[in-house]
Amino acid sequence: MGMSAEDERTASPRDEEWPEAEKAEKLARGAALKWASGVFYRPEKLEGLGHYRSRETQRNSSIQSRLKSTVQSYLEGVSAGLEQLRSAAQEVQSVCQDLGAARWALLDSTDHFQGLQQMRTLVEEHVQLASVVQVLPQIFSVHEAFSHTLQLLHGQRLLEAHAELMMVEHLRDDILSQLHLRGLSSAQTTVLSYFSGLQQLNETLAKQLWNIVGSSLRLVREDPVLFVTAVRIIEREEKIDDTLLLEATFLPPGRPKGWRQKFYHVLQDTITGAHFHAAHIDVEGPGLARHLAVLQKDIVSELRVVKDLMVQCVPAHYNILSVCTTTYHQALTSHLQEILQEDLDKQGLFLLLEWALHVYHSPEMMGHPDLLPEVDVSALGPLMSPELVDQTEKRYVVKVKASVIEWMQRTLEVEFKEWFREEEPETDHQGFFQSALPVIVMQMLNENIQVASLITNSLQQKVYNMALEELEAFLGRLREALVQCGKEHQQDRTVPKYYVSYLLAMLNNNLALSNSVSSLHPNAAHREVPVSLQSALDRMQKKACQLLLEEILLDLQPLCLQLPSRKWLSGSQLVGSMCEVIEKYAKDFSHVRKPVFTLLLMESELLVASQYLRALMQKKMVCKSEEERGQLCDRLLQDATQLRELFCGLGLDRSQQSLEAVFALRELLYLKDPALLSLEVLGFITKYPDASDEHISTLLDLRGDVSKEVRHVVLEMMAQHPQVLPEGYRPIFSTILVPVPELPFCLRKGKCA
């Protein structure tokens, strides 16, 4: 359906002015077409066309009527608004006309008002002269009042003297106020000169008042009337100050006096000056404890006086108990800071921390039953700030550390001397060697930690950390002392006489320290031994074991030097002698506790096995025949079996022994067919991955029947099967050094080797 050209021309201006209307109309037409095509998509639906047309006609009529009603109501509202605006404009114009008329009327009356100015001036002068005439008798009696007031002050008749003083001050202030209002500054100077005696009277009265306030704690017990009089005078002056400040037109000289504030200052200065002078305190020895005890007693006593007596002598708004409590608290805070500037020892630092953190709030001081509940210092903050507490705790730890180091050094020196005694170390009820060192060290550390727990958890933790650090350092020094003792023993094996016994005692001591370290921790749920300290304990144990093994080695070496040899093959008692050495030391090992005893057996067995294997690999012997090789294998089997049975009898399980390597080596030598050596060697290095090419080559040399081709095959096989040490493997061959083979070379005028 298109539009005609005329319709388009007619609609164009409207479309340009109301583009939304055109868009809405198009949308409506589109919606209508969509709806009609949906309803009348079949011919039989056309029968209801009349019904739909009637319904849509009624709907359009209803919508148009509602639109007309809405537009009509809007138009009526706009009409009413315009009418109100016209009415308001007329009223504003009327008011402007009335204001203009009033302005012209006032301008016409100006001349009449100026005629009254002279009358006003005369009246003011008359009033001033009348006022002066009235106060002349009082002005003439000022100096007499000065003398009388001074006499009253000397007689401590303070209330009467203050009344006279107030009267004279009021007269002066009234005159000065009048002069101030008239701008007569030169006359003010004359008045101030005439009333100059007031300043002396004020100073005299104030001096007496502050002397009374300074003695208030004594006066409220002996003569409260004098103190109450002083407070009444102060309150009078405060009321005068408040009145003058409220008027805010003229402040006489010396106002506001602020005597109530001065009252607080004098009271605070009195309290501070009476108790808190760090310069006069003996901080050495028991002097600080006596000083703090005196402070505790005096503060409680004086606060009880304030609570029971002084509170009744002053107005409630003075909050005198709160003021005194705050003064004591703040003065103590500053006083403790001054004391802490001194070089206090650890007892002094501990005493201050305990006093500030515990005694101060306890029922013996600020929590005293006679002071509660009126006295409450909880809202005043801590006596020592957290930062100051932390700083003081660190100073305390430094002092304790120095004491611990000194004590540990003395203990170490005593222990070192005991190693050289002519008698064995003491034993416990089970026969284990020991000394007093673990008990002394742990008791000292534990006592310091327990003492610190009386202050704060943080101090306890600081001391605990320090204790572990110093214990670790002590173990290092103890280890160095063992090394020094070992050096002296190497020079002369008879010194110390009981060298082995004291080494065993140190192993027991080290075990005792290791078992006791966890008990030092303040928290039972977190008692792990720090890694660094455990390492120090392990190093200490390792060093003592090393020194013992070196001692065993000194006895074994002469025997091992005879291996291998033809004499040994023929049935020597070398291994029997080695067993006797081991049994002798094993008897000594019985004086150490089980974990260390087992460790010593394992290390001794490893030492024997490694020394035995080392002796075999020194290239002292090469089997010349199969019979000799069989004889060697038999000797190896007998020796290894004898040694294994020895250590099994001492309590070392076969699975813990390294002598199995001798049996494996014997199998390598016992092999009949050299061609199978590569397989046998592969099994050997699989079981003992630390065996190197040099070790295998030396063993092949010991057989005496291995050709270069077989040796090459074996070494090639080893190169193709590199071994990795499994976790937990105890190396045995890596500690054995093989002699460097002598390479053939020629010398001048000599034969080739």
Side-chain angles (χ1 to χ4, degrees):
M1 296 177 65
M3 295 178 60
S4 63
E6 184 179 355
D7 292 338
E8 290 179 357
R9 288 191 300 270
T10 305
S12 179
R14 184 193 67 183
D15 295 344
E16 293 177 358
E17 186 176 357
W18 304 96
E20 294 83 358
E22 180 184 6
K23 184 177 180 181
E25 184 176 356
K26 288 181 179 180
L27 291 174
R29 286 180 179 278
L33 287 173
K34 184 177 181 182
W35 174 81
S37 64
V39 173
F40 302 109
Y41 67 96
R42 288 188 297 179
E44 59 268 19
K45 292 291 184 176
L46 294 174
E47 296 177 359
L49 180 60
H51 172 71
Y52 286 118
R53 180 181 295 142
S54 174
R55 188 180 67 181
E56 293 302 320
T57 303
Q58 291 177 359
R59 184 185 299 173
N60 288 338
S61 299
S62 175
I63 292 172
Q64 289 176 3
S65 64
R66 287 200 300 271
L67 287 173
K68 289 178 181 179
S69 176
T70 302
V71 172
Q72 182 64 30
S73 64
Y74 285 158
L75 292 174
E76 290 176 356
V78 171
S79 177
L82 292 173
E83 184 63 30
Q84 291 175 0
L85 287 173
R86 282 194 294 271
S87 175
Q90 292 175 359
E91 292 177 357
V92 169
Q93 185 177 5
S94 176
V95 170
C96 289
Q97 291 175 357
D98 293 342
L99 288 174
R103 179 173 177 273
W104 287 111
L106 287 173
L107 291 174
D108 292 340
S109 303
T110 303
D111 297 336
H112 301 291
F113 293 147
Q114 291 177 352
L116 296 175
Q117 184 64 35
Q118 296 178 356
M119 181 67 71
R120 184 181 295 109
T121 302
L122 291 174
V123 170
E124 290 178 355
E125 292 178 355
H126 178 74
V127 171
Q128 294 172 8
L129 291 173
S131 301
V132 171
V133 170
Q134 290 177 358
V135 300
L136 278 177
Q138 299 177 26
I139 292 174
F140 292 145
S141 63
V142 163
H143 290 86
E144 181 181 352
F146 286 167
S147 301
H148 184 240
T149 303
L150 194 59
Q151 291 176 1
L152 293 174
L153 289 174
H154 290 161
Q156 285 198 339
R157 298 163 62 183
L158 301 182
L159 285 176
E160 299 175 36
H162 186 247
E164 292 280 347
L165 184 62
M166 285 195 301
M167 180 186 68
V168 177
E169 279 188 341
H170 180 70
L171 176 62
R172 181 202 64 180
D173 297 344
D174 187 44
I175 296 173
L176 290 175
S177 176
Q178 295 296 328
L179 295 175
H180 173 74
L181 292 175
R182 287 158 182 75
L184 301 175
S185 57
S186 59
Q188 288 182 6
T189 305
T190 304
V191 172
L192 289 174
S193 176
Y194 186 77
F195 286 90
S196 59
L198 277 175
Q199 182 177 358
Q200 180 186 358
L201 292 176
N202 269 300
E203 292 174 354
T204 304
L205 175 60
K207 183 177 180 180
Q208 293 197 23
L209 291 178
W210 308 143
N211 288 336
I212 293 172
V213 173
S215 306
S216 56
L217 291 172
R218 176 181 58 82
L219 289 175
V220 294
R221 287 176 291 185
E222 300 175 0
D223 184 14
V225 175
L226 195 57
F227 177 69
V228 172
T229 298
V231 173
R232 290 179 62 185
I233 293 173
I234 291 170
E235 281 302 291
R236 286 179 181 177
E237 291 294 336
E238 280 296 311
K239 290 180 181 178
I240 296 173
D241 284 347
D242 293 341
T243 302
L244 291 173
L245 289 172
L246 284 174
E247 293 176 356
T249 55
F250 171 73
L251 276 179
R255 291 290 180 180
K257 292 183 179 180
W259 278 7
R260 185 189 298 165
Q261 198 63 34
K262 181 66 175 178
F263 168 87
Y264 292 137
H265 289 161
V266 172
L267 185 61
Q268 292 167 350
D269 292 343
T270 301
I271 292 173
T272 304
H275 302 291
F276 307 105
H277 291 293
H280 306 297
I281 298 173
D282 179 16
V283 296
E284 298 294 334
L288 181 59
R290 287 195 299 268
H291 173 68
L292 294 177
V294 170
L295 277 181
Q296 177 182 342
K297 178 182 177 182
D298 290 349
I299 291 174
V300 173
S301 175
E302 292 176 5
L303 281 177
R304 289 169 65 181
V305 171
V306 174
K307 174 178 174 289
D308 298 335
L309 300 176
M310 188 179 289
V311 168
Q312 303 175 19
C313 300
V314 298
H317 63 266
Y318 269 51
N319 293 322
I320 193 65
L321 182 58
S322 175
V323 170
C324 290
T325 302
T326 303
T327 300
Y328 282 116
H329 184 85
Q330 293 175 349
L332 274 174
T333 300
S334 301
H335 186 56
L336 294 183
Q337 291 177 359
E338 292 175 359
I339 295 177
L340 284 170
Q341 292 176 1
E342 303 289 335
D343 185 18
L344 301 177
D345 57 14
K346 67 176 183 179
Q347 286 81 7
L349 293 170
F350 177 85
L351 190 61
L352 279 182
L353 286 169
E354 181 188 31
W355 199 84
L357 299 178
H358 298 290
V359 175
Y360 182 68
H361 298 277
S362 69
E364 286 75 28
M365 196 169 177
M366 290 307 200
H368 197 283
D370 292 345
L371 301 180
L372 297 177
E374 289 81 357
V375 174
D376 182 13
V377 295
S378 60
L380 300 178
L383 201 59
M384 293 175 64
S385 66
E387 295 78 11
L388 183 59
V389 171
D390 182 66
Q391 179 184 353
T392 307
E393 287 180 351
K394 290 178 180 178
R395 289 177 58 187
Y396 175 77
V397 172
V398 170
K399 298 289 185 179
V400 173
K401 179 178 179 179
S403 175
V404 167
I405 291 174
E406 180 183 357
W407 189 269
M408 282 185 167
Q409 185 60 34
R410 192 179 304 122
T411 303
L412 179 58
E413 292 171 358
V414 172
E415 183 73 15
F416 187 79
K417 291 179 181 178
E418 287 188 354
W419 295 344
F420 293 86
R421 292 193 308 172
E422 293 296 321
E423 57 185 14
E424 288 187 333
E426 63 182 36
T427 58
D428 61 7
H429 64 284
Q430 294 178 310
F432 297 128
F433 289 138
Q434 66 176 11
S435 71
L437 183 139
V439 175
I440 294 173
V441 171
M442 297 308 297
Q443 182 177 357
M444 174 179 54
L445 297 179
N446 190 58
E447 285 179 356
N448 280 289
I449 294 172
Q450 294 303 318
V451 168
S453 68
L454 301 175
I455 304 301
T456 61
N457 292 334
S458 64
L459 180 60
Q460 186 180 22
Q461 187 64 40
K462 288 185 180 73
V463 175
Y464 170 75
N465 294 336
M466 179 276 298
L468 295 189
E469 292 174 1
E470 290 311 310
L471 180 57
E472 182 178 343
F474 174 75
L475 288 171
R477 295 193 296 272
L478 184 60
R479 182 171 173 270
E480 293 173 358
L482 275 181
V483 172
Q484 179 62 31
C485 182
K487 290 180 180 179
E488 296 185 20
H489 182 71
Q490 287 178 355
Q491 297 174 1
D492 183 359
R493 293 192 67 187
T494 62
V495 178
K497 182 177 181 180
Y498 295 98
Y499 177 68
V500 173
S501 299
Y502 279 100
L503 285 177
L504 296 173
M506 288 311 301
L507 285 171
N508 282 328
N509 290 343
N510 192 72
L511 184 62
L513 288 173
S514 180
N515 295 333
S516 303
V517 166
S518 59
S519 64
L520 293 177
H521 201 288
N523 190 347
H526 301 83
R527 290 191 166 180
E528 305 87 1
V529 179
V531 177
S532 60
L533 179 56
Q534 187 60 54
S535 299
L537 290 166
D538 293 342
R539 288 193 298 271
M540 177 66 194
Q541 177 177 280
K542 185 176 180 181
K543 175 53 66 176
C545 289
Q546 178 186 346
L547 294 175
L548 281 170
L549 294 176
E550 290 175 356
E551 191 70 5
I552 297 174
L553 182 60
L554 289 175
D555 290 342
L556 288 178
Q557 274 183 338
L559 301 175
C560 292
L561 289 174
Q562 302 178 38
L563 294 174
S565 64
R566 298 289 187 274
K567 181 181 179 181
W568 167 66
L569 283 178
S570 62
S572 173
Q573 296 297 320
L574 285 177
V575 173
S577 300
M578 293 173 66
C579 290
E580 291 176 1
V581 172
I582 298 302
E583 288 176 342
K584 181 189 72 171
Y585 281 99
K587 184 178 179 181
D588 293 331
F589 293 169
S590 64
H591 293 286
V592 293
R593 297 187 179 277
K594 186 65 178 290
V596 182
F597 174 78
T598 303
L599 174 65
L600 287 174
L601 280 183
M602 292 177 63
E603 294 297 328
S604 300
E605 189 271 343
L606 178 61
L607 176 66
V608 170
S610 62
Q611 291 300 314
Y612 192 91
L613 291 172
R614 178 180 283 106
L616 292 176
M617 294 186 182
Q618 297 306 307
K619 298 185 179 181
K620 297 180 181 179
M621 175 179 172
V622 176
C623 295
K624 297 180 180 180
S625 63
E626 184 177 348
E627 179 183 359
E628 193 173 62
R629 190 163 52 253
Q631 189 178 4
L632 172 63
C633 292
D634 292 341
R635 173 53 57 189
L636 291 177
L637 180 61
Q638 293 176 13
D639 290 352
T641 302
Q642 185 177 358
L643 289 171
R644 183 172 65 184
E645 291 176 354
L646 169 66
F647 282 103
C648 287
L650 293 175
L652 191 64
D653 191 77
R654 289 178 59 175
S655 62
Q656 298 174 301
Q657 296 185 22
S658 301
L659 286 166
E660 293 298 321
V662 180
F663 290 96
L665 183 146
R666 183 255 179 193
E667 294 297 325
L668 191 64
L669 297 175
Y670 188 73
L671 187 66
K672 301 294 185 180
D673 186 2
L676 300 177
L677 276 174
S678 60
L679 293 177
E680 189 69 24
V681 169
L682 179 60
F684 186 85
I685 63 175
T686 302
K687 190 173 182 181
Y688 301 100
D690 61 330
S692 65
D693 296 356
E694 291 78 8
H695 294 130
I696 299 300
S697 182
T698 302
L699 293 177
L700 296 179
D701 291 340
L702 185 60
R703 282 181 60 92
D705 64 342
V706 180
S707 64
K708 292 182 179 180
E709 291 77 9
V710 173
R711 183 188 302 272
H712 178 73
V713 171
V714 170
L715 296 179
E716 184 68 24
M717 179 274 301
M718 291 183 65
Q720 294 175 0
H721 297 83
Q723 302 297 314
V724 178
L725 296 182
E727 186 177 357
Y729 174 76
R730 293 184 70 198
I732 181 170
F733 286 96
S734 59
T735 62
I736 299 174
L737 297 179
V738 178
V740 179
E742 296 181 359
L743 298 177
F745 63 94
C746 295
L747 295 174
R748 293 180 180 180
K749 298 182 180 180
K751 295 182 179 180
C752 292

